[in-house]
Amino acid sequence: MSATLLASLRKLLGEAQVLHDGDLSAWEVDWRKRYRGKALAVIRPASTDQVAQAVTQCAAQGVSIVPQGGNTGLVGGGVPNASGTQIVLSLQRMNRVRAIDADNLTMTVDAGCVLQAVQEAARSAGFWFPLSLAAEGSCTIGGNLATNAGGTQVLRFGNARDLCLGLEVVTPHGDIWHGLSGLRKDNTGYDLRHLMIGSEGTLGIITGATLKLAPQPAASMTAMATCPDLPACVSLLSLARQRLGDALTGFEVMNHVSLALVAQHMPQLRQPLPAAPWSVLLELSDPQSAEHARAQFEALLEAALAQQLIDDAAVAQSVAQSKTMWHLRESIPLAQAEEGLNIKHDVSLPVSRIAAFCAEAQAALTRDIPGSRLVNFGHLGDGNLHFNVQAPVHSDAAAFLAREESRVNTIVYDCVVAHGGSISAEHGVGALKVDELAARKDATALSMMRAVKAALDPQGLMNPGRVIQQR
Amino acid sequence: MSATLLASLRKLLGEAQVLHDGDLSAWEVDWRKRYRGKALAVIRPASTDQVAQAVTQCAAQGVSIVPQGGNTGLVGGGVPNASGTQIVLSLQRMNRVRAIDADNLTMTVDAGCVLQAVQEAARSAGFWFPLSLAAEGSCTIGGNLATNAGGTQVLRFGNARDLCLGLEVVTPHGDIWHGLSGLRKDNTGYDLRHLMIGSEGTLGIITGATLKLAPQPAASMTAMATCPDLPACVSLLSLARQRLGDALTGFEVMNHVSLALVAQHMPQLRQPLPAAPWSVLLELSDPQSAEHARAQFEALLEAALAQQLIDDAAVAQSVAQSKTMWHLRESIPLAQAEEGLNIKHDVSLPVSRIAAFCAEAQAALTRDIPGSRLVNFGHLGDGNLHFNVQAPVHSDAAAFLAREESRVNTIVYDCVVAHGGSISAEHGVGALKVDELAARKDATALSMMRAVKAALDPQGLMNPGRVIQQR
C-alpha cells in the first residue's frame, strides 16, 4: 500500500521531491534533538495544487501527514513520530512573495517563505513586518502562523495571528480554502482563519497568507534600565505605556542570573549597566524623528528615576549600541546551553500577577529543589516569561534533569495555573505538552477542541497526536 | 411539552423572568423593524449558572434558543423567527462589571453590560475601552462580541475580537467553558475565543468577557479636510499613517451626497468646510500633549495641502468643535432615514481597491438604476464603506425599494466580490444575508463552517437558520 502511495506521489511531485531513503534526519529530528522520528517519506510540493493532490492521495490511503516549515519548533510538533508510517510534507519549496499592496499595507506570501525573507521583502518595499523572533533566519511564516508565534514585538503588534488577514489552506480532505484576503473587516461567518492559526497543522495545511504591514518608523531607539525588584519593572511598564503609547514596541526583562550567565559565557559582550536584581530592555519606534524619540525616552527614564522605579539607565547612542543591548537579551538561551542542560518553561500570566507568581514559584523551587537556579527572562509587556531552571552549580545536569524535571514542571505549572496563567504562552503544545494540556485545560474547552478536530479531520490524519489526543 | 419547559424555566428563573404573554415586541422585533418574530417565551437569567441550566432544559426538550443582547443588530440575527417555538434568552440582567485589573490593562464584565457602561467603567478607572459605535448607548458587549462589532476606532484598535482576551461561554449542551483570561499570549490549543466571536450566537452563548484596556491619551483632537476625489483620500490616509503612526485613531470619509443630506435635514448642524466631492474626518489620540497633537496635525495637513491631496482643512479648536465634527458624521444615517427608505450595504474592500470599486459600482448604478443616489461614507482606514443607495429625488421610495432592491444588491455585491471585498464588513450575516453568503462564500469555507456548527451544536438549537443553513 505504501509503495503504491509513494509511486503516485512520485508521479505527482517528481522523483526528486519524494525522499524515502538516505539520511532524512533534517526532517525527522527537531532542532533541540528531543524528538527523533522516522518518516515513511518526506515530500516537497512546489504549489498549493500539489499540496492538495498529495493530501488527497494520502487521505485515500489513510496515511497521516506531518506538515513542516523550517523545523524550528520547540515542542516537537513538526517532526514525525517513530512509527515510520507518517509522511512529512515540507513547505520549504513554496517560498514566493506573491504580492505587496502598498495602499492596503498588506503582502501575500507562500507559507514556506522564511520569516527573515518576509521581513526583508517588506523593508525593500518601504514597510515593516513586525514579527521578530530568535529563529527568524530559518523558521517559515507558515510555521509561525500554524503555531501562532510570539516574539519581541507582541506588546505593540500582537502575536502572529494578529498580523495575518487571510489564509490559503489545504483541508484534510485535500480541498483548497481560498481565504487569502486583504480585508481588515469581514464578518461573513465563523473565523476559520483564527481557528487554523495556532492549530499546529492538526486541522489543515497553511499554504499561503496575507499579512499586515506597518509603516516604517522614523526612528527606532533602545534603552536599558536596572530595577530593584520585579514590582518596579511592572510599574515601569505602566509608566512607559502611559507616556509612550504605542511607540513602546518592546519591553523585555532579565533577572540577575540570566545576565550573569551571559557575562560568564560571553565575556566579550559589554554590559552597559552594573549588575542588578532586574534589567529591562525597552524599544521605542517613533513615527516622528530620532530627536523626538530620544527626548521621549529621556523624559520617561527621568520620571522613572524620580519615582525610584529604576536605579540606573542607558539610552543607546548608536545602532551598534542598540544591537549590543538586544544581543545581550538574545544570548541568554545560548548562555544557558553553555552552562548545561536545563528545564524550560514558556509561561504567561496576567501582568498584575507576575511578581506574586515569580515569588511563589521561586520560593517553592528553592525549598523543594535546593541549589536549582532560576534563569527568568522574557516579554514582560505580554506577561510572558521564560522561566527556566538550571541545575545547581557544578552538578551533573543530565542526572539533575532525569531526577527533577517532572517535579520542577509540577511546581511551576501548579503555580502558573493558580495565578490564572498559561503553560504555553508562545511555543505551542506539539507533542511535548499534550498530556499536560489534557490534565490542566478546562474540560469543556477540551471537549470542544476534540469536536472541532473530529469534524474537520474525521480520519485523524493531520499531525495526529499533537495538541490533543483524540478519544 | 412547551408547557412543561416553561414551568421548569419558571422554577429555575422565577415567574417574573419567563415572559410568555403580553407585548413581547421589544424582544421579538428588530430595531429596524424588518424582522417581526414570535417567541415561545423570553427568558432573563441573572447568572451564568442560570444560563447553563436554562440551556440544558431547552436542549432536553429540543427547543431552540435565540440569544439576545441590546437588540440593536442590523441583520435580524437577534430576534426569533415567526414559528412561536423559539426561546429568546436575554442577557440584559447580567450587567455587572466583574473586575478591573489596572496593571494588566484588562476588565472582566458580564455579557449583558451595555457598551457605554463598559466605556464609562474603564474611564472611571483611568483607562480607555476603545470600542465605539452608534448603538453604544443600548447595545451590549456580549452582542458586540457575538457579532464582532466594528465602529470608528478599528483603524487603531481592531474589531471587537481584537479587544477581547477571554470568554465565558455556555455551550449548546449547557456546559460552561470557563475561558475568562487576562492573558495576551496563550497557545494552548485551538482558539475557541475567536471561533465564538462573530458566530452570532449559533455556537453558544457568551456570558462574560475579559477585555483589553488602553491608557487614556493625553489629548484627543479632531480635524476635517476636503479632498477632490477618493484616490486623494486614500493618499491622505497613507500620509497620515506614515506621519502619525498609531496616534491616528480615526479616518472617516463622507461623499458629497452624504453631507448634503445632513445639511438639508439638520440645517442647525454647522459644517466647518465648504461642500466638496469628499470630506474626511481625522482623529488623533496623542500620548504626549495637546500641543504636540496640534503641531502634528498641522504639519500633516500642511504637507497634504502642499501635495494637493486636500483643498481645505480645519482642526477643531475645542471639545465642542470636535463633537460637532463627529456629530456630522454620525448624523448621516438619520439624515438618510429622514430622506426616506434606502438600501444599505456594509461592505469592505482592500483599501487599494476602494477607488476602483466605487467608480465601477457607481457607474453601474447610474447606468442601470437611473436617478438613484449614492450615499457613500464610512471607515476608509479599515476599507469599510456604508455604500447606501437612496431612491431618486421626489420618487416613491417604498416602490423603488420593492422594484429595485434585489437588482441594486446584485450590482453592488458583484462589484464587491470582483474587487476581493466582503459583503458584510461589520454588521454580520444574521438572517438577512444567509442566502447571499451561501451563494458567494468560498465553498470549502462554507463546508468547514457547516462541519463546525454540526460538531458543536449537533441538535442545531442555537440561533438556527442564522449565519449558515444546515444541510
Side-chain angles (χ1 to χ4, degrees), chain A residues 101 104 147-148 156 176 185-188 190 202 246 288 292 348 351-352 384 422 424 426 441 444, chain B residues 101 104 147-148 156 159 176 185-188 190 202 246 288 292 348 351-352 384 422 424 426 441 444:
Chain A
D101 183 338
N104 197 44
T147 58
N148 187 31
R156 163 61 192 97
I176 302 171
K185 283 182 170 174
D186 181 14
N187 279 349
T188 54
Y190 306 153
T202 63
D246 297 310
Q288 201 168 333
H292 184 255
S348 65
V351 172
S352 52
N384 179 193
S422 165
S424 183
E426 59 178 10
K441 182 108 178 169
T444 303
Chain B
D101 183 338
N104 198 41
T147 59
N148 186 32
R156 162 62 193 95
N159 297 285
I176 301 172
K185 282 182 170 175
D186 181 15
N187 281 347
T188 55
Y190 306 154
T202 63
D246 296 310
Q288 202 167 334
H292 184 253
S348 66
V351 173
S352 51
N384 179 194
S422 165
S424 184
E426 59 179 8
K441 183 109 177 169
T444 303

Side-chain angles (χ1 to χ4, degrees), chain B residues 70 106 131 160 247 249 274 277 284 299 315-316 326 340 350 376 394 441 449 460-461:
Chain B
T106 52
L131 182 67
T249 51
L284 196 163
V315 178
W326 276 103
N376 190 358
H394 304 311
K441 183 109 177 169
M449 282 169 56
L461 297 180

Side-chain angles (χ1 to χ4, degrees), chain B residues 28 36-40 63-64 66 79-87 464 466:
Chain B
E28 291 176 332
R36 295 169 185 279
K38 174 78 193 114
L40 171 58
V63 169
S64 66
V66 180
V79 290
N81 64 24
S83 67
T85 63
Q86 298 190 303
I87 297 270
R466 276 63 193 265

Side-chain angles (χ1 to χ4, degrees), chain B residues 9 27 61 94 103 167 228 242 267 274 285 306 345 351 384:
Chain B
L9 287 169
W27 296 273
Q61 303 286 343
M94 292 183 60
D103 276 334
L167 289 180
Q242 183 67 47
S285 303
H345 307 99
V351 173
N384 179 194

Side-chain angles (χ1 to χ4, degrees), chain A residues 221-226 270-274 280-282 294 297-298 301 305 310-317 321 325:
Chain A
M221 203 160 285
T222 313
M224 280 186 77
T226 52
R270 195 183 149 269
Q271 302 214 8
L273 296 173
V280 179
L281 180 63
L282 301 98
R294 186 169 304 281
F297 241 161
E298 287 172 356
L301 294 169
L305 270 170
I310 63 176
D311 295 318
D312 205 347
V315 178
Q317 300 297 318
Q321 282 188 14
M325 290 180 179

Side-chain angles (χ1 to χ4, degrees), chain B residues 237-447:
Chain B
L237 171 66
S238 289
L239 187 69
R241 276 180 160 148
Q242 183 67 47
R243 297 181 71 118
L244 305 179
D246 296 310
L248 180 70
T249 51
F251 194 99
E252 303 281 307
V253 295
M254 300 159 273
N255 76 345
H256 173 260
V257 181
S258 310
L259 286 183
L261 281 184
V262 174
Q264 182 185 338
H265 293 285
M266 289 95 166
Q268 74 283 10
L269 288 183
R270 192 180 153 272
Q271 303 215 6
L273 295 174
W278 286 90
S279 298
V280 179
L281 181 63
L282 301 98
E283 184 83 6
L284 196 163
S285 303
D286 196 302
Q288 202 167 334
S289 66
E291 297 68 41
H292 184 253
R294 186 170 303 280
Q296 287 280 92
F297 241 162
E298 285 171 357
L300 166 70
L301 294 169
E302 273 167 33
L305 269 170
Q307 294 179 33
Q308 298 184 304
L309 300 179
I310 62 176
D311 294 319
D312 206 346
V315 178
Q317 299 298 317
S318 65
V319 173
Q321 282 187 15
S322 168
K323 280 189 177 163
T324 302
M325 289 178 179
W326 276 103
H327 199 48
L328 282 172
R329 158 67 182 83
E330 283 160 1
S331 298
I332 299 171
L334 193 56
Q336 279 202 270
E338 296 277 323
E339 182 71 4
L341 292 174
N342 56 79
I343 306 167
K344 295 192 196 299
H345 307 99
D346 163 46
V347 302
S348 66
L349 286 302
V351 173
S352 51
R353 307 292 285 274
I354 280 199
F357 159 79
C358 286
E360 279 178 39
Q362 183 152 18
L365 287 169
T366 303
R367 187 185 64 228
D368 293 353
I369 324 271
S372 63
R373 291 174 292 167
L374 182 64
V375 181
N376 190 358
F377 64 99
H379 321 293
L380 186 70
D382 323 317
N384 179 194
L385 294 176
H386 299 303
F387 195 87
N388 298 345
V389 176
Q390 202 90 27
V393 183
H394 304 311
S395 66
D396 176 341
F400 175 79
L401 258 69
R403 196 174 65 238
E404 304 289 5
E405 182 159 13
S406 154
R407 204 148 63 108
V408 165
N409 288 345
T410 302
I411 289 171
V412 172
Y413 291 147
D414 281 355
C415 204
V416 164
V417 171
H419 285 277
S422 165
I423 64 164
S424 184
E426 59 179 8
H427 295 168
V429 179
L432 182 66
K433 295 184 183 173
V434 173
D435 294 336
E436 200 77 57
L437 193 73
R440 294 183 182 274
K441 183 109 177 169
D442 178 271
T444 303
L446 279 172
S447 135

Side-chain angles (χ1 to χ4, degrees), chain A residues 106-166:
Chain A
T106 52
M107 69 191 293
T108 299
V109 301
D110 283 352
C113 283
V114 169
L115 174 55
Q116 194 169 303
V118 174
Q119 295 166 343
E120 282 166 8
R123 195 176 303 123
S124 302
F127 299 104
W128 183 19
F129 181 63
L131 183 68
S132 179
L133 46 100
E136 62 195 25
S138 47
C139 64
T140 63
I141 188 68
N144 297 147
L145 291 167
T147 58
N148 187 31
T152 56
Q153 292 167 161
V154 173
L155 177 66
R156 163 61 192 97
F157 293 101
N159 297 286
R161 71 169 68 257
D162 302 301
L163 293 168
C164 175
L165 293 175

